Amino acid sequence: MPPAALALGLAGVLPFAACAGALWLDVDPALQADAARALAAYGAVILSFLGGVRWGAALRLPLAQATPELVLAVIPSLLGWCALLLPGATQPLLALSLGMAVFGVLDAREGARGAWPHWYSRLRIILTLLVLGCLLAAVLAG
């Protein structure tokens, strides 16, 4: 696994951890609401990014194979956007957790099939587990 990919991936987990941690602090409820919204917004952005990774990978495929992959690649962005429209603090985080888990599994399968570098699949598993832990911690704080 390239050290830069690991370092950047772990750096990308920091906002998840910071926002989830903020929800456990005994502070002003308005600040906690802001932290929950920030966490959901960042989760939606990252879910969209994961769709972009899939889109980029699909561009290298023959057209017949690329079309279903391109369709699959737009789903994370739509899931992230829909999650932001859900009421309350917990529902968006649960929806994002589902999206992260599903696409984490799909990305790991792609690596097992040899469609992506093996290290990327391992990185996705690590980062997905960390992000899911942060989202679960945030849900439990609520």
Side-chain angles (χ1 to χ4, degrees):
M1 179 180 314
L6 178 60
L8 292 167
L10 292 173
V13 174
L14 291 177
F16 285 104
C19 290
L23 293 173
W24 282 91
L25 299 176
D26 188 21
V27 295
D28 179 14
L31 291 175
Q32 287 186 318
D34 288 344
R37 277 192 299 278
L39 178 57
Y42 185 67
V45 167
I46 294 302
L47 207 49
S48 291
F49 172 82
L50 296 175
V53 171
R54 284 190 153 275
W55 184 279
L59 294 177
R60 302 178 75 175
L61 298 172
L63 185 57
Q65 288 177 286
T67 301
E69 289 297 321
L70 291 171
V71 170
L72 187 60
V74 300
I75 293 173
S77 299
L78 295 173
L79 282 175
W81 177 67
C82 287
L84 293 177
L85 299 176
L86 293 173
T90 302
Q91 289 183 21
L93 301 179
L94 290 172
L96 291 167
S97 297
L98 177 64
M100 296 287 184
V102 166
F103 281 90
V105 169
L106 290 175
D107 289 351
R109 284 183 42 203
E110 291 296 318
R113 287 185 338 160
W116 294 347
H118 184 65
W119 65 263
Y120 180 71
S121 294
R122 286 187 295 145
L123 178 63
R124 283 288 290 118
I125 291 168
I126 293 166
L127 297 177
T128 297
L129 291 174
L130 290 172
V131 166
L132 288 174
C134 292
L135 291 170
L136 176 61
V139 167
L140 292 174

